[in-house]
Amino acid sequence: MDISIIIVNYRGWKALDDCLVSIEAINSNTLSFEVIIVDNFSNDGQFPVFKQKYSGFTFIENSGNNGFSNGCNFGASMAQGNHFLFLNPDTKLTLEALEVLLQTAISHPEIGILSCLQINENNVFYKQNNLFPALGRFFGISRSFFRKWNKTKLEKRFNTATDLFYPDWVTGAVVFISRNWFDKIKGWNEDYWLYFEDVDLCKKVSDSGGKVAVTKKATIFHQHGGASRLNVKTKALTKTEVIISKHVYISNQFPPAIQLYLHSALLIGVLIEKTLLSLISVFLFFIPKLKVNPLMLKNLTVYYFNVLQNQTWISPRAMNYLKTKV
């Protein structure tokens, strides 16, 4: 088996339907592939419906909403392919993209993680000039200043004349990796429940001497953010998990002295911001966007109390959190 396409789903059935239709249309004599869908226990009655509708694909129901990393690792543990393509359900795949990804990976064994161009429903290409978080560019203002200060250097790095360019990391929506590289870096880090797991994965490849690359010879459609913005409560949860995952990344990728500074700056900054926005939302209650802030403040207060109590920055939703309790 050349490729195992692994898709992690949680109640994103409409997008997943379009994704699987695009994969069903692929017919190739040059490569073989399987499709594995890991459903993170959507528990809404749709799992058996889709399993019957797409009987040619493998459907696996997870034990709970255990996070993206856990779902990816679960799918990989069942996979038969020599290469894995981790694909978001809100994407559409083509034979051309699949062939380009496989051929490029085989031709460039130094590439540990490969992705391709992504385009949304408005025919706008996603920016993929991603840099690893670092001390001087971890927060928004410092990151913007760094990019502006190094604009010429960065443009030269990412606007190459070749078919490949090399960002520090690529989004988890499209991640192509050989089984050998996947085993070498021990898969996705289950310290993360959602967000930053793709940055961490690419960092592990980079630290192991591999390259992270994007091929310009293939494009995949990607409708970003639909499943994680269903309502105010869901939006507050996902935005809270972004902050939590930043803390987890700090713990995993920075030395202790820098960790202390970044954890403190992030904690103080976000609590001040959410407290002020929550107070403003009381007076401007008619603005829907502001309603997310009181919920986030509540979520973060519970999280930070849990950090003090259990001495870990890992989200209680993440699978590795349970290991800290043993």
Side-chain angles (χ1 to χ4, degrees):
M1 184 74 65
D2 292 313
I3 305 169
S4 295
I5 301 170
I6 301 168
I7 303 169
V8 178
N9 173 67
Y10 179 73
R11 298 185 179 179
W13 300 108
K14 185 178 184 302
L16 178 63
D17 196 30
D18 292 338
C19 179
L20 297 183
V21 166
S22 72
I23 298 174
E24 265 195 330
I26 296 175
N27 186 15
S28 174
N29 296 320
T30 60
L31 59 82
S32 59
F33 67 91
E34 64 177 349
V35 181
I36 299 172
I37 298 96
V38 178
D39 182 61
N40 271 348
F41 200 65
S42 294
N43 197 28
D44 56 4
Q46 290 300 305
F47 181 82
V49 175
F50 271 68
K51 187 175 182 179
Q52 182 177 12
K53 181 177 181 179
Y54 296 101
S55 57
F57 300 156
T58 300
F59 280 79
I60 306 169
E61 190 168 41
N62 211 338
S63 59
N65 189 6
N66 300 335
F68 184 73
S69 290
N70 175 261
C72 287
N73 286 337
F74 191 12
S77 71
M78 303 292 180
Q80 302 297 315
N82 293 321
H83 295 82
F84 302 150
L85 172 58
F86 296 99
L87 199 64
N88 265 20
D90 54 2
T91 59
K92 294 179 183 178
L93 188 61
T94 64
L95 173 59
E96 180 187 20
L98 206 56
E99 289 178 333
V100 167
L101 288 168
L102 179 61
Q103 292 166 4
T104 303
I106 293 173
S107 300
H108 297 271
E110 75 280 4
I111 295 176
I113 288 178
L114 178 66
S115 191
C116 64
L117 300 180
Q118 297 175 39
I119 195 168
N120 66 17
E121 63 275 17
N122 298 317
N123 290 322
V124 176
F125 284 94
Y126 290 92
K127 291 183 180 180
Q128 299 195 69
N129 54 351
N130 302 315
L131 301 172
F132 287 132
L135 178 61
R137 56 172 189 264
F138 192 87
F139 301 104
I141 295 176
S142 59
R143 187 165 56 248
S144 298
F145 180 78
F146 177 87
R147 285 188 174 277
K148 188 172 183 179
W149 185 263
N150 296 278
K151 184 178 180 180
T152 303
K153 183 179 179 180
L154 292 174
E155 285 180 349
K156 184 178 180 180
R157 173 182 172 182
F158 296 120
N159 298 330
T160 63
T162 62
D163 293 330
L164 294 168
F165 63 94
Y166 299 90
D168 284 351
W169 62 274
V170 295
T171 172
V174 183
V175 169
F176 195 86
I177 183 172
S178 71
R179 179 183 289 273
N180 289 338
W181 267 108
F182 188 81
D183 291 341
K184 184 176 182 179
I185 63 173
K186 299 180 180 179
W188 297 79
N189 188 344
E190 295 186 28
D191 283 357
Y192 302 87
W193 181 70
L194 191 63
Y195 303 113
F196 272 76
E197 65 280 296
D198 43 14
V199 189
D200 188 277
L201 188 79
C202 293
K203 188 67 165 61
K204 289 197 293 183
V205 164
S206 180
D207 289 346
S208 298
K211 292 184 177 181
V212 176
V214 174
T215 174
K216 293 186 281 187
K217 293 178 69 176
T219 301
I220 285 179
F221 172 84
H222 177 207
Q223 186 174 7
H224 179 68
S228 63
R229 298 292 184 266
L230 297 176
N231 52 50
V232 173
K233 187 175 180 180
T234 301
K235 189 173 182 179
L237 170 63
T238 55
K239 282 183 171 289
T240 300
E241 288 295 332
V242 171
I243 296 166
I244 293 174
S245 290
K246 286 182 179 180
H247 281 296
V248 176
Y249 188 86
I250 291 168
S251 297
N252 286 336
Q253 300 296 346
F254 289 93
I258 296 178
Q259 283 184 36
L260 178 61
Y261 163 72
L262 291 176
H263 280 312
S264 300
L266 180 57
L267 184 154
I268 294 169
V270 75
L271 287 181
I272 290 174
E273 176 190 341
K274 295 308 169 187
T275 299
L276 290 175
L277 289 175
S278 296
L279 290 173
I280 292 172
S281 70
V282 173
F283 300 99
L284 302 179
F285 59 89
F286 50 86
I287 300 179
K289 282 186 177 181
L290 291 176
K291 292 181 180 179
V292 73
N293 294 292
L295 291 175
M296 284 189 68
L297 182 60
K298 178 184 176 182
N299 292 344
L300 288 166
T301 301
V302 171
Y303 166 69
Y304 287 131
F305 178 79
N306 186 70
V307 169
L308 290 172
Q309 188 175 42
N310 296 293
Q311 298 297 297
T312 179
W313 294 97
I314 298 176
S315 171
R317 294 175 176 272
M319 292 304 290
N320 282 353
Y321 177 78
L322 297 176
K323 296 178 182 179
T324 68
K325 306 293 287 183
V326 177

